[in-house]
Amino acid sequence: MSQESTGGATLLPDETAALVERHESTRDEHDDAFAAAKALVPELGAHVRDGHATVGIWTPGLVEHGVPAEAVSLEVLTPPADVDPGAVDAREVTFERSTVPTRRAGEVTYAAVEGAVPGTRERLGSLYQLVYDPADATSDADPADLPGELVADGLATVQDPLADSVPFGAFGPAELYDRARLDAERDDRDYFATLGTDDERVATSEDDGLPRVDPATSMVEIHPGTATERGSLAGLADFVETVGEKERAGEDPTAFEETFAGYDAVQLMPVEPLTERSDAPGNWRGVARDGDTATATVARPDKVNWGYDIVVGAFGAPCPSILESGRPDELVDFIAACHGLPDPVKVVFDVALGHADDGGLRILPDRFFHGPGMYGQHLDYLDPMVRAHVLDLQRRKMDWGADGIRVDGAQDFRNYNPETGEMEHDDDFLAEMDAVTQEVAGTEYRPWMIYEDGRPWPRHDWELASTYRTLIEQHPHSFQWSPITFAHNKPAMLTFWASKWWRVREVADMGGNWITGVANHDTVRRGTQVDVPESWEGDPINRYLGDSAPEIIDRAYDNPATNALLHTLLPGVPMDFLNANARGPWGFVRDTDAEWNVKVVADEHNLLDWQVREGDYDDDRFFTRLKALGFGTREELDAFVKALAATIEPTDYDSEAMCAMLEPLDPPMDLTPANLDAFADAWMRDVADFANLGHWRDAQDAERTGFARRVREFRQERPWLRESMRLPDAPDDEGPVTADAAEATDRFGYRNPANGSVVYYGLRESPAGDERVLFVGNMEGAPTAVTPADLVDADLDPAAFEAALVAPGVAEGREAPPALDEAVELANGQAVVFVAAR
């Protein structure tokens, strides 16, 4: 390959030499390979500097296979100024093409370039990737096994894993993006200037000389793809801004807007670039190079996914599938909208770096991977450069402006120990994640740290054995997901609150550093995987919640008694789920997998029972793709998907055999493996559309949403409720709780015997001793009369307590609010919260 620059972008030799010299001096300054890698990697990727760009990409495979440095060029593809990166329809675009020589230092390929156009809010910037001719490799490996991906003209392309923007997906070239410009123009710069100050809007604590964002008081989880009709971060930002405008104007929110109100944090489900089906046309394809031009078929990805199927490559960039404009600015706009509310709301990123989808094998160096695992590929965290890359990907993603980080599946960060023959938890790496420093709007800080860690998962006894406290004990400022928050909790099942009492009591005793809540993306899904029997007699489902499965699932995950228990009594940070708050549908959607998509649908075979209400399937807005395949009625679709689920095990997921087993059903489509795949794709997209909350904005009940909002506001007014309860029989070695009777001001218990209903009750006293809060709720079971004062073993003056929160329905037929020393009838899911000043 020619080593002369071509096209409009040209090599800057002196600046490139400076990159190489800095690399070599950094290596010389560090004896430890990981320390050197940590110093090198932040300078890799693409950076806009003083009118030019620098690019550095780790390319160990090129070295391993003997591809000469002079055979590798940086390809720069500059689009016309009017290209719309937000368009999802495939179209041809002709780019100005430049090839720029590169230099190699160690295993890194460098180039400093003049003439590349940085991307901005208004326009798509120059795209870039490394290209080389596989024939130049000296190894005898098959060309298909060489680094990067082969393209039609015989070249191979290598992508930048540290890209800031990938408008056409992680499998296409990266975009040179001007992050410094975006950072300088963001609307919430004043917010970040308050970090580490006495400004009460954003509380922080000192951590090794830096401010660390303090925990939230309560939080809501949001899936950007279904939260608004537009299914984008721009749509979500507009929604938040509308809520803020109403708050400033003193206007009442709509019932739907109330589902978002009363929180001081939102946790976004992952916003990283996703994998793509290997058997489908990509969003960057058909590149035809002709001298100083290149024509490609491009489209913004339109993937339907929860967000966890990431390839790790380009992890630092926002997922283009949820960027309506194709511009990373949308992510910053959403964060700034949250920070700009009258009462600022923190933004927490859900970071899934514990594994990579198999698609990552296509675009990352082989050294990234340890081997296959439960969720795709294990990453090799012991490799110094991999270790440094993953940490820097975390930093780059969080530098969009997040206040907190939730580390998905922290128990999955493991390495193989040859001495024990087992995979062992890499707590040293998790500690490195905890120490990553962010810099936004000129302010350095560390985020609120949250781990999801269910170790010893996946050991068979993990539900009994997990303490959910390992990382809290190592990092006392950090939080973990609590035992009542993990995926397998199903509050729609009868006796859930009775059988889970021991875990709920743990939350009371030592939950000050736990994320609590029963509604999240995983738990609702697990609830809908339960079989709904034809006869409801003797079944394990809590029929006191409603008369139909959809009514039961809605009330299980948005329940007045549960909301009041979590927000007015139990410690930790309660987290709800926006789809559950709105009682909208929810299901597992994932259209990015060519191999397992049919099985995923089969696993969801009960979804219609739980989530599709009477008349929903007949609505012309819903299930349009499945209807086009011939499934005209809900009953026909339900019978087919249940039969599909029954074929998985006996056929060992053999698609031909599955089709043969399904033939007697005489389904409305020809049964071929390809058509089964098309059915699964239609299912995923139809379920995602059905779950979009834009359809359910006007289906909210103001009494219900208003009570839930007031419950959350109650907690916001009492942040001391986050601390663990001071219970008389709690061990004195579990943090802030105490066995000292003089200090055991709190109570928590359940009525015994149950007599057909599980009644929880509890008493909290503020640390200053100036307020008491008493909760009583019927968590499940038949309606029952309770006298709150008789339940609590404490010195109470009933006359001092007033009913502060009364669940919908409790006050019906009453002339006065419930009193502490009077019997009150509580149906399943009803609760009353009393308050007394002291």
Side-chain angles (χ1 to χ4, degrees):
M1 183 171 291
S2 170
Q3 276 296 289
E4 296 296 326
S5 296
T6 65
T10 58
L11 180 74
L12 295 173
D14 292 344
E15 287 80 355
T16 302
L19 294 174
V20 172
E21 291 169 7
R22 188 199 61 82
H23 178 106
E24 292 172 346
S25 63
T26 300
R27 284 289 186 192
D28 292 342
E29 291 167 4
H30 296 85
D31 295 330
D32 178 73
F34 177 49
K38 283 203 297 182
L40 285 172
V41 170
E43 298 299 319
L44 303 187
H47 301 272
V48 178
R49 308 177 191 272
D50 299 325
H52 69 277
T54 64
V55 176
I57 300 176
W58 184 45
T59 53
L62 297 181
V63 177
E64 177 187 349
H65 290 284
V67 178
E70 59 272 14
V72 181
S73 294
L74 179 70
E75 183 177 57
V76 180
L77 303 168
T78 302
D82 60 353
V83 171
D84 178 9
V88 295
D89 293 332
R91 71 274 191 204
E92 280 194 350
V93 175
T94 298
F95 297 81
E96 176 188 273
R97 177 175 181 259
S98 308
T99 57
V100 179
T102 64
R103 287 191 58 183
R104 184 180 295 162
E107 296 176 329
V108 177
T109 299
Y110 286 106
V113 181
E114 186 176 47
V117 177
T120 65
R121 180 185 293 271
E122 291 76 25
R123 70 159 293 169
L124 178 67
S126 297
L127 308 181
Y128 67 93
Q129 58 191 350
L130 297 179
V131 294
Y132 71 98
D133 187 340
D136 290 327
T138 61
S139 76
D140 57 1
D142 187 299
D145 295 329
L146 293 175
E149 294 195 277
L150 291 174
V151 293
D153 54 11
L155 295 177
T157 60
V158 176
Q159 305 304 338
D160 178 9
L162 299 172
D164 290 324
S165 175
V166 283
F168 307 118
F171 297 90
E175 177 190 8
L176 176 65
Y177 198 78
D178 193 349
R179 283 192 67 160
R181 184 274 316 166
L182 178 57
D183 188 66
E185 295 177 358
R186 60 185 305 144
D187 291 336
D188 55 354
R189 290 184 65 85
D190 289 346
Y191 174 92
F192 288 97
T194 67
L195 298 183
T197 71
D198 294 333
D199 193 311
E200 295 181 355
R201 289 182 300 165
V202 194
T204 59
S205 301
E206 193 274 335
D207 180 8
D208 194 24
L210 291 172
R212 184 181 287 276
V213 177
D214 282 351
T217 302
S218 65
M219 182 161 60
V220 61
E221 183 183 32
I222 296 178
H223 178 242
T226 58
T228 66
E229 183 177 3
R230 289 151 62 184
S232 66
L233 287 167
L236 199 51
D238 285 350
F239 170 70
V240 172
E241 288 174 354
T242 298
V243 171
E245 290 169 2
K246 285 191 172 183
E247 288 182 7
R248 293 184 189 91
E251 299 178 17
D252 292 333
T254 66
F256 180 76
E257 289 163 353
E258 282 187 314
T259 64
F260 176 79
Y263 298 100
D264 61 346
V266 298
Q267 177 181 297
L268 288 180
M269 289 175 67
V271 292
E272 283 71 61
L274 297 164
T275 190
E276 297 178 4
R277 289 179 58 119
S278 58
D279 63 341
N283 298 94
W284 171 266
R285 62 183 185 271
V287 182
R289 295 172 171 85
D290 184 11
D292 59 1
T293 65
T295 301
T297 299
V298 302
R300 177 174 67 85
D302 183 25
K303 305 303 176 193
V304 173
N305 197 286
W306 274 9
Y308 295 95
D309 295 303
I310 67 162
V311 289
V312 175
F315 181 94
C319 177
S321 295
I322 52 174
L323 297 178
E324 186 175 322
S325 63
R327 303 290 74 208
D329 302 66
E330 287 186 32
L331 180 55
V332 171
D333 291 346
F334 168 72
I335 294 170
C338 291
H339 291 167
L341 289 169
D343 293 315
V345 167
K346 298 178 174 73
V347 176
V348 175
F349 283 171
D350 191 347
V351 171
L353 280 168
H355 50 81
D357 182 88
D358 287 341
L361 294 168
R362 293 167 51 191
I363 57 174
L364 291 175
D366 291 344
R367 277 179 42 196
F368 256 89
F369 305 105
H370 175 77
M374 185 177 298
Y375 304 109
Q377 295 291 320
H378 282 298
L379 301 183
D380 186 358
Y381 302 104
L382 293 181
D383 185 292
M385 283 294 281
V386 173
R387 207 170 179 85
H389 269 76
V390 173
L391 290 171
D392 207 57
L393 287 168
Q394 172 191 323
R395 179 190 65 83
R396 291 172 190 240
K397 175 50 61 69
M398 296 293 291
D399 273 356
W400 294 107
D403 303 272
I405 175 174
R406 180 250 186 186
V407 179
D408 176 68
Q411 71 274 343
D412 297 329
F413 290 78
R414 297 185 296 166
N415 295 305
Y416 179 73
N417 185 336
E419 294 183 2
T420 64
E422 297 181 354
M423 296 289 287
E424 297 181 353
H425 296 287
D426 194 341
D427 288 341
D428 289 342
F429 186 76
L430 295 174
E432 291 280 354
M433 296 182 79
D434 178 70
V436 170
T437 298
Q438 312 306 137
E439 184 174 356
V440 181
T443 298
E444 287 189 321
Y445 68 98
R446 290 196 174 121
W448 175 30
M449 198 74 189
I450 305 168
Y451 296 100
E452 180 203 29
D453 191 290
R455 67 183 71 182
W457 165 268
R459 204 174 77 190
H460 76 283
D461 65 342
W462 71 274
E463 286 192 88
L464 284 174
S466 178
T467 67
Y468 305 93
R469 292 187 57 82
T470 301
L471 295 164
I472 295 172
E473 290 162 1
Q474 295 178 18
H475 311 286
H477 57 264
S478 70
F479 276 58
Q480 284 189 222
W481 274 33
S482 78
I484 62 170
T485 305
F486 263 65
H488 295 277
N489 290 309
K490 303 181 183 73
M493 307 302 291
L494 196 64
T495 75
F496 171 83
W497 290 104
S499 63
K500 288 291 184 181
W501 165 254
W502 66 288
R503 284 301 197 186
V504 177
R505 176 56 193 246
E506 285 182 346
V507 174
D509 282 344
M510 52 185 174
N513 281 55
W514 272 342
I515 303 297
T516 65
V518 297
N520 61 63
H521 67 277
D522 259 337
T523 55
V524 177
R525 176 213 182 185
R526 295 300 185 187
T528 64
Q529 289 181 329
V530 174
D531 289 335
V532 176
E534 293 183 10
S535 170
W536 287 61
E537 293 300 322
D539 69 79
I541 297 169
N542 183 3
R543 289 186 290 131
Y544 290 105
L545 285 166
D547 296 326
S548 67
E551 197 172 52
I552 288 170
I553 203 77
D554 285 349
R555 294 179 179 179
Y557 291 101
D558 174 56
N559 182 290
T562 304
N563 291 340
L565 173 71
L566 294 168
H567 287 85
T568 73
L569 186 72
L570 290 182
V573 174
M575 186 181 75
D576 304 317
F577 182 39
L578 190 65
N579 288 62
N581 285 4
R583 295 192 175 179
W586 179 249
F588 187 55
V589 289
R590 179 187 181 199
D591 72 345
T592 52
D593 192 330
E595 183 176 2
W596 298 108
N597 59 338
V598 174
K599 186 177 186 304
V600 169
V601 172
D603 288 342
E604 304 298 299
H605 64 275
N606 291 320
L607 184 78
L608 295 171
D609 293 330
W610 285 107
Q611 296 287 14
V612 181
R613 304 163 181 83
E614 185 175 353
D616 283 347
Y617 196 83
D618 297 330
D619 192 316
D620 290 341
R621 297 174 297 169
F622 304 137
F623 302 101
T624 56
R625 298 168 185 83
L626 289 166
K627 290 173 183 175
L629 291 177
F631 294 95
T633 68
R634 178 198 177 284
E635 290 71 25
E636 191 174 19
L637 176 61
D638 187 50
F640 181 77
V641 76
K642 284 185 168 63
L644 176 66
T647 69
I648 301 294
E649 188 172 341
T651 65
D652 196 25
Y653 195 49
D654 180 279
S655 57
E656 293 281 1
M658 290 164 62
C659 289
M661 284 189 69
L662 291 168
E663 194 63 49
L665 281 179
D666 192 25
M669 62 181 189
D670 292 336
L671 284 175
T672 66
N675 283 347
L676 275 186
D677 185 71
F679 168 82
D681 187 72
W683 171 281
M684 300 288 190
R685 290 194 161 268
D686 277 351
V687 169
D689 286 348
F690 182 58
N692 188 291
L693 294 181
H695 298 306
W696 312 102
R697 293 177 65 98
D698 299 328
Q700 306 304 310
D701 175 72
E703 185 180 21
R704 174 183 63 81
T705 61
F707 175 76
R709 173 177 57 83
R710 291 192 297 276
V711 164
R712 298 190 291 265
E713 292 172 344
F714 183 94
R715 192 174 191 91
Q716 294 295 332
E717 295 163 1
R718 297 165 179 83
W720 56 267
L721 289 169
R722 192 172 62 216
E723 302 301 323
S724 297
M725 295 178 72
R726 293 172 290 178
L727 298 169
D729 58 349
D732 60 5
D733 59 350
E734 294 289 1
V737 296
T738 178
D740 188 332
E743 297 181 23
T745 57
D746 302 341
R747 301 290 186 273
F748 186 44
Y750 65 92
R751 188 180 66 181
N752 194 1
N755 290 332
S757 52
V758 180
V759 175
Y760 279 12
Y761 60 86
L763 177 71
R764 298 289 304 267
E765 183 174 306
S766 65
D770 58 353
E771 186 179 45
R772 280 177 151 183
V773 175
L774 191 149
F775 161 90
V776 59
N778 183 354
M779 306 308 298
E780 59 180 326
T784 185
V786 297
T787 302
D790 293 345
L791 295 173
V792 181
D793 178 22
D795 181 18
L796 303 177
D797 176 8
F801 283 83
E802 294 183 353
L805 295 165
V806 181
V810 175
E812 290 180 6
R814 298 181 63 92
E815 296 181 358
L820 203 67
D821 56 353
E822 295 179 354
V824 58
E825 184 88 1
L826 298 177
N828 188 111
Q830 291 183 338
V832 181
V833 178
F834 300 87
V835 171
R838 299 189 73 185

